[in-house]
Amino acid sequence: MVEDPSIPSSSSSQMSEDDDRSPSLDLIDGPIPSTKSRNCSGVSVSGGGTSVEYTVPYPDQVLENVLENVLCFLTSRRDRSAASLVCKSWYRAEALTRSELFIGNCYAVSPRRATARFTRVLAVTIKGKPRFADFNLMPANWGAHLAPWVSSMAKAYPWLEKLCLKRMSVTDDDLALLAESFAGFKELVLVCCDGFGTSGLAVVVSKCRQLRVLDLTETEVMDDEVDWICCFPESQTFLESLMFDCVECHINFEALEKLVARSPSLKKLRLNRHVSIGQLYRLMVRAPQLTHLGTGSFNLSEGMAQGDQELDYVSAFAACKSLVCLSGFREILLDYIPAIFPVCSNLTSLNLSYANITAEQLKPVISQCHKLQSFWVLDSICDEGLKAVAATCKELHELRVFPVNAQEDAEGPVSEVGLEAISEGCRKLRSILYFCQRMTNAAVIAMSKNCSELVVFRLCIMGRRRPDHVTGEPMDEGFGAIVMNCKKLTRLAVSGLLTDRAFSYIGKYGKLVRTLSVAFAGDSDLGLKYVLEGCHKLQKLEIRDSPFGDTALCSGLHHYYNMRFLWMSSCSLTRQGCWAIARELPRLVVEVMKSNEGEEEGDNFDTLYMYRSLEGPRDDIPQFVEILRPGI
Amino acid sequence: MDKLYNMICENNEEVVVRANKRGYVAAEDKKLELRLGPPGGEDRQSLLSLGCCNNNNNNNNIPHEAKRVCHEEKKEERKWLANSSSSDPAASASELTNSAAAPDSDQKSRIVHAPVVGWPPIRSSRKNLAIRSSSSSFTNPAADSESPNETSKEGNGKSDSSTYSKHHMFVKINMEGVPIGRKINLKAYDSYEKLSFAIYELFQGLLAAQRVCCDVEKEDKKGETKSKTESLHGNGEYTLLYEDNEGDRMLVGDVPWNMFASTAKRLRVLKSSQPSTLQLSSGQHEKTPLDSTVEVGI
């Protein structure tokens, strides 16, 4: 499975779970199965962190040492979880040898419990808010605060090297504590986070002298008017990756240039849109060893006109012989497109999703990108541009087509024509995200047959409940074909006019589906029922504006403990229905929330968000969230 | 709105409806249909037939933004359908219908939809691309006639189409001498006194840690003093400034509260001994001076 950790967001190898084998339960609760080990006074230990003392004679000790040495090679979370369940001895050995901790839901387990079990962790990944929070479906201040995690880890993991966060609320104070607490800290990756500003960054870069990686992807950074670039140590740095393309603040370019000059290990650099092409040139000249480059604005700086400078951009790119991943182009000046020609044939990843270019402007570029595996683009290239992609990019694994005009009633430059062309030309496709205004079942069926390697299929027909625009039929058959024919499919997002039939297909054939995203779809409770009863591997289910009610919700009782979360907003649920779940499943945290604060109290709510947890109701809920707890 | 519910309940006793202003109609009877016209009774409806679809139980989505778009509708029609309805009744009759009516889906006279929260599911950083990313060239300037260097649209469009901005207006507040700023929600207060106290509380902890002398403790920012300005400045130790939407630095307290709350973009707390060095100028100059030096002589 190709991974490009440098493409932002979910395809990052750290964050994407579309191809991982994570077990459904990372941490177990309750007494550990005790062995009848010979001289061991097997004491059951809960996750509470009390240490177990017992004398172990030589043979057992050897066994344990061997085990620990072997377990070091186990990296998959699922394998580790399986190993930990064998017996107490294995449990302990696994806990001691786990160096990477993955917390898929920051509220499923407490920092205290996690750090008590895993005591030798070097790298931690934590995910917070559900994905729909990205689209304003959840008010701010919902939660997912990093603070309790960082303060626990500060005590438990003083040698922590790496922290990856997705959709967490991070404050400047958190970053300050992080910087203070981890002397050997090396990598900070923040994806879709918010809550901090440049002052927090400043503290991190100045105190974490071993910093190798600072990656900010789709993260909001407040402008505190602190020149964080200046705060890097004056001496040579260990920087290998610096990605700040999402940072909206101006940066001190002189300081950046000097930083790049004293960062010999720098391989990945993603600039924000305030860096002009002239400045880019200066940086590239200093860092021809780059493998990943985010070009910033790719335009002249404000106030400059062409002719003030005529730099040899082509040579600068040509000098970057190792460049494989190119992105940026935030305010692209078309005249400079030819500058990237020298690197096109080496590119495995190209992100033009901020560049509003036409098919004609794309063709000279894409026709050279024979090795391209990942391509993100705007629909401004139209179906014709997609045909050009299909003609050349035979190795394509991942395609994302974003809309220039993200409205329901816009003209749609891409359609089933483009999708079909891609399916014909890019047979190795594994992951697709496609925004369009119109689609046909035929094209989707064609893709299901041509691209049998699909793992991720996300089709967003932007007009709600739009049917096949040729036949007038619902899109049931298309999505049905996808789940039927794409045997490796683990992630699916549906759209368009869909009846319960579509969901019956998904339930029947989508046996590997782990993530399902539904919006404005279905007819009745049956739809959801099909999914909950059929998709045995379902872990993440997010639904909005669909007519699923309490009966459907109850049909998933057997499965909710296996899931990471269920999100349902603007559906047909009632409080009573949610209470029924809460009563049946005490280990589930059932949150109901209103999307508008200030509404009067009442029975109504907009959103149900529920997730399994070892900890019970969290204690940091904001005013608009209510947790349904069965009375004690 | 209440009339609607009364109507539903009265018309069909078998219907079990749990509905309220923003809730959901969980009716259990089939084929219950209601249609509502736009407010004011004008008949601007156009019926979209849904007969061609297999789906007889089309949902009508009422966006959460209903209240906001209440008066912005172009055409609307609403169908209430039992056992599948997930409508939000609060959205009066301003609703949009789903344009999924099969035979009409390609009609040129499209129904114009009011925006729905979070749909299509695009992160805010990718919105506004039609403006910002207008690619241009020297020979063919951007058709949109927006300069590619247009910076008026900020990337943090999270508040653009959100109702949360009704209740939230977070502005940054920095205190001189404190490297890490805070955020404060102006809409949580309705007077300078309250704001002043809130700011005091916000920085109190930091001040306690930082200060050498106890002077600050004597400050009573609860506004016992005579004038608003004085109360803000307590016993004169600190000056509260703000930057407005034009980038000008102003003294807090000079304008009526509402005007302040709607124009203030950030706040700054300075030691009062500094007024003479204040630059009551555009905020641009306050930034780290990179814009002025960059690009010269490239």
Side-chain angles (χ1 to χ4, degrees), chain A residues 76-330:
Chain A
S76 145
R77 295 198 295 272
R78 164 188 285 183
D79 292 346
R80 284 196 154 266
S81 185
S84 71
L85 292 171
V86 168
C87 66
K88 195 170 51 136
S89 169
W90 282 53
Y91 176 91
R92 196 176 61 252
E94 193 281 314
L96 287 173
T97 54
R98 191 182 292 214
S99 60
E100 290 183 17
L101 184 59
F102 176 87
I103 309 288
N105 174 1
C106 63
Y107 288 120
V109 66
S110 68
R112 183 194 50 79
R113 187 189 296 266
T115 55
R117 175 174 170 181
F118 301 105
T119 52
R120 297 187 185 170
V121 165
L122 296 175
V124 176
T125 299
I126 310 174
K127 292 180 151 188
K129 301 177 208 175
R131 197 177 72 96
F132 275 3
D134 288 355
F135 315 123
N136 289 342
L137 287 178
M138 189 188 250
N141 302 327
W142 172 81
H145 302 291
L146 181 64
W149 287 94
V150 86
S151 63
S152 276
M153 291 191 297
K155 299 180 201 108
Y157 306 143
W159 46 79
L160 189 75
E161 292 183 355
K162 181 170 168 181
L163 185 61
C164 301
L165 304 174
K166 187 166 186 181
R167 293 199 187 93
M168 295 290 290
S169 287
V170 179
T171 64
D172 291 317
D173 291 339
D174 297 334
L175 293 177
L177 183 57
L178 186 156
E180 306 265 341
S181 313
F182 308 121
F185 196 71
K186 296 195 169 97
E187 299 189 21
L188 184 61
V189 176
L190 302 176
V191 180
C192 301
C193 297
D194 62 6
F196 66 98
T198 47
S199 31
L201 287 180
V203 179
V204 170
V205 304
S206 74
K207 294 210 169 150
C208 300
R209 303 250 139 185
Q210 309 288 319
L211 199 67
R212 287 195 297 228
V213 170
L214 178 61
D215 288 353
L216 307 170
T217 300
E218 311 235 21
T219 284
E220 271 192 36
V221 180
M222 286 187 287
D223 186 359
D224 300 330
E225 297 177 358
V226 170
D227 184 354
W228 60 284
I229 299 278
C230 275
C231 295
F232 278 93
E234 303 258 328
S235 55
Q236 265 201 1
T237 74
F238 297 101
L239 269 185
E240 294 170 19
S241 175
L242 178 63
M243 300 193 187
F244 61 95
D245 45 334
C246 57
V247 176
E248 283 293 320
C249 336
H250 287 271
I251 47 117
N252 180 340
F253 179 74
E254 265 71 35
L256 179 64
E257 194 176 5
K258 289 183 192 143
L259 176 64
V260 169
R262 63 180 192 278
S263 302
S265 307
L266 194 67
K267 292 281 191 299
K268 302 182 187 178
L269 180 63
R270 289 205 178 141
L271 308 165
N272 71 8
R273 64 180 182 90
H274 296 292
V275 178
S276 71
I277 194 168
Q279 293 170 325
L280 171 68
Y281 175 86
R282 283 158 68 170
L283 295 175
M284 288 179 73
V285 157
R286 291 193 182 277
Q289 76 279 9
L290 289 177
T291 58
H292 295 58
L293 177 64
T295 64
S297 71
F298 215 65
N299 202 323
L300 299 171
S301 57
E302 295 184 38
M304 302 283 283
Q306 183 199 25
D308 284 22
Q309 58 190 27
E310 274 307 328
L311 295 165
D312 192 353
Y313 299 113
V314 175
S315 293
F317 274 94
C320 294
K321 304 216 181 292
S322 311
L323 205 58
V324 291
C325 173
L326 199 53
S327 61
F329 309 104
R330 297 284 175 137

Side-chain angles (χ1 to χ4, degrees), chain A residues 299 302 331, chain B residues 131-134 136 142 144-151:
Chain A
N299 202 323
E302 295 184 38
E331 281 149 19
Chain B
I131 296 161
R132 267 178 47 200
S133 79
S134 56
S136 59
D144 293 352
S145 74
E146 293 274 0
S147 156
N149 294 316
E150 177 70 51
T151 51

Side-chain angles (χ1 to χ4, degrees), chain A residues 136 223 356 465 545 547 570 605, chain B residues 61 64 84 100 135 164 172:
Chain A
N136 289 342
D223 186 359
N356 191 341
R465 302 190 197 88
D545 295 280
S570 302
F605 62 94
Chain B
N61 174 63
H64 293 190
S84 63
S135 51
Y164 318 140
K172 275 176 296 195

Side-chain angles (χ1 to χ4, degrees), chain A residues 136 218 223 276 279 301 334-335 353 356 409 462 464-465 523 544-545 547 570-572 596 599 605-606, chain B residues 24 55 59 61 64 67 84-85 100 113 117 119 123 126 135-137 163-164 172 287 290 294-295:
Chain A
N136 289 342
E218 311 235 21
D223 186 359
S276 71
Q279 293 170 325
S301 57
L334 300 169
D335 305 68
S353 64
N356 191 341
D409 305 306
M462 288 189 276
R464 288 169 285 153
R465 302 190 197 88
D523 301 324
R544 63 167 294 182
D545 295 280
S570 302
C571 297
S572 303
N596 258 346
E599 291 275 328
F605 62 94
D606 299 307
Chain B
Y24 309 88
N55 180 15
N59 292 321
N61 174 63
H64 293 190
K67 284 184 178 163
S84 63
S85 171
H113 288 82
V117 174
W119 187 263
R123 288 180 54 84
R126 290 194 178 278
S135 51
S136 59
S137 78
T163 52
Y164 318 140
K172 275 176 296 195
K287 285 191 195 253
L290 58 97
V294 107
E295 289 312 314

Side-chain angles (χ1 to χ4, degrees), chain B residues 185-196 228 232 240 252-264 267:
Chain B
N185 180 10
L186 289 184
K187 295 212 174 170
Y189 314 103
D190 57 14
S191 71
Y192 286 115
E193 281 81 5
K194 290 185 186 165
L195 175 69
S196 175
K228 285 181 187 166
L232 286 167
L240 192 57
V252 169
D254 286 345
V255 300
W257 169 261
N258 285 335
M259 189 185 298
F260 161 76
S262 59
T263 58
L267 298 172

